[in-house]
Amino acid sequence: MAPRHFHHGDEFHLVLSGAWAAEVEGRPPHVMHAHDSQYVEAGRWHGGKVVSAAPLRLLGVMIVAKDKPVIEIPR
């Protein structure tokens, strides 16, 4: 599980295996499977949880603003 959080920059996700129930601020929750991808804009909270028996392998690429924390938890 990844609790709701946000970044000071854009993030891209690619599911390599397993299934992931993704939540992104302003979008309906959805389940991502192997080969599915998503883009999360800077400052938009997101999170999710594993929803498959198979282990989740999720690739995330973040472009974070210089001198900002990599991750922040919204209050």
Side-chain angles (χ1 to χ4, degrees):
M1 178 186 167
R4 290 181 177 178
H5 64 279
F6 69 93
H7 308 282
H8 296 277
D10 297 333
E11 183 171 18
F12 303 86
H13 299 129
L14 173 64
V15 177
L16 302 174
S17 65
W20 173 252
E23 292 186 337
V24 178
E25 178 182 10
R27 299 181 195 160
H30 68 286
V31 176
M32 297 172 60
H33 300 276
H35 310 291
D36 289 344
S37 62
Q38 72 178 0
Y39 164 67
V40 181
E41 299 88 348
R44 191 176 288 236
W45 67 255
H46 57 284
K49 63 182 179 179
V50 179
V51 292
S52 61
L56 175 71
R57 290 178 48 219
L58 180 70
L59 174 65
V61 177
M62 290 177 271
I63 303 167
V64 179
K66 185 177 180 178
D67 300 325
K68 294 285 187 176
V70 172
I71 186 172
E72 291 206 35
I73 306 295
R75 296 180 190 262

